Amino acid sequence: MASNERPAKLTLAAIAREAGVSMPTVSKVVNGREDVAAATRAKVLTALERTGYKSPLQRKNIAGRRPVVEVVLDTLNSAYGVEVLNGVLEHAAASDVEVLLNITGQQGASTLSPEQRAQRIIDEGRSGMIVVTSAFSSAQLDPFRRRHIPIVVIDPLNPPPDDVVSVGASNWAGGKSATAHLLDLGHRRIAYLGGPEAAECNQARLHGYMAALMANGVPVEERYILSGPFRSESGVAGMKTLLQLEERPTAIFAASDSIALGVLAEARRQKIRIPEDISVVGFDGTYQAEESVPPLTSVSQPLQEMGRAALRFVLRQMRGDAVDSRRVELATHLVVRESTAPRVPEQDKAVSGVGGGR
């Protein structure tokens, strides 16, 4: 019983004595203020951890207040984001957690700085935050970390700090399996239409693609590798570029279903038949892959499970439980549909040179 009561009895004055600093200094560290010397901050953080002190926000949550978790997405016009969110909401309902959405890409979205957003979470008594496929940098995440706000990032575009939990899928293995599928169908001129060059998930998928080619003795050709946002416009632009090549690819691996849908749309405009002229594989395994014309072969990510896992990790951090791993990767698997087919000799003639589509 005593061990359970101890955190609530501790005061800032006791922490100040433990750390050998003033009480206002402890208050600044607890509230995430920046105007504290690094060495002093380290002493206070050590004392907080050693004594088991919990902030007023943490004590509110422990006392039985219903947790509120903020989910940050760039847009809701994304099947990927919607499926991740469904997983978060499902686990939230089972765990009696309230979910608040923050859509950063929409018109009129909040213009608060990271410092202001982090302080708002403290002031409004929220329990933590889940960030989905955002370009948050380490510097932007730092205000949340300094305030000890539980945070989990899902497939971050930038590498998160080592102490921030991230949830993703086995992107390298997924990229390799997508490319191996096309190689098994006899394709050798395989293009990669990727996401943002620096994005961790894109790099992993690209490296999986390259590994599969090299394992089969197929050279990696830069002309077949293009990058852009994870949007259908990238697929449209990439397809236009590839169709201008003297030797067009006979297959395309798109780094997201959205990019692949752009490829399919441009193929229809150019009267290129999928898969008779060019085979296409996507990545994500969203409902859009099932509903496209033709249905899209895609590397399926466990998107809803990623959302559930992210919320579980936020709640564990909120309770002060130990987190075994800061990086969680869930398995992907290839779902073969109607957008891929074996390469045939006639296909090489049909796709060589401009205007080869029928």
Side-chain angles (χ1 to χ4, degrees), residues 83 257 282-287 289-290 298-301 303 337:
E83 295 211 23
D257 287 351
F283 199 110
D284 286 336
T286 61
Y287 61 84
E290 299 180 46
S298 181
V299 177
S300 179
Q301 298 192 75
L303 298 176
R337 298 190 179 94

Side-chain angles (χ1 to χ4, degrees), residues 236-260:
V236 171
M239 186 64 161
K240 288 179 178 177
T241 299
L242 294 172
L243 291 179
Q244 296 303 312
L245 295 176
E246 185 175 347
E247 284 191 317
R248 299 177 182 177
T250 64
I252 295 172
F253 168 34
S256 75
D257 287 351
S258 293
I259 295 174

Side-chain angles (χ1 to χ4, degrees), residues 248 271-272 277 349-358:
R248 299 177 182 177
K271 294 183 170 50
I272 302 291
D277 297 328
K349 298 176 184 177
V351 298
S352 293
V354 178
R358 288 174 248 154

Side-chain angles (χ1 to χ4, degrees), residues 149-163:
I149 297 170
I151 184 168
V152 174
V153 293
I154 296 178
D155 257 349
L157 300 186
N158 297 318
D162 291 340
D163 59 346

Side-chain angles (χ1 to χ4, degrees), residues 55-66 122-125:
S55 69
L57 171 60
Q58 290 172 307
R59 290 200 294 270
K60 282 180 186 177
N61 288 327
I62 290 170
R65 183 179 179 275
R66 189 183 189 200
I122 292 290
D123 294 342
E124 297 182 1

Side-chain angles (χ1 to χ4, degrees), residues 255-293:
S256 75
D257 287 351
S258 293
I259 295 174
L261 292 177
V263 170
L264 297 184
E266 185 60 24
R268 284 193 294 272
R269 282 190 285 270
Q270 299 274 1
K271 294 183 170 50
I272 302 291
R273 300 176 304 166
I274 306 296
E276 291 87 352
D277 297 328
I278 299 180
S279 286
V280 180
V281 178
F283 199 110
D284 286 336
T286 61
Y287 61 84
Q288 290 178 317
E290 299 180 46
E291 297 173 356
S292 67
V293 180

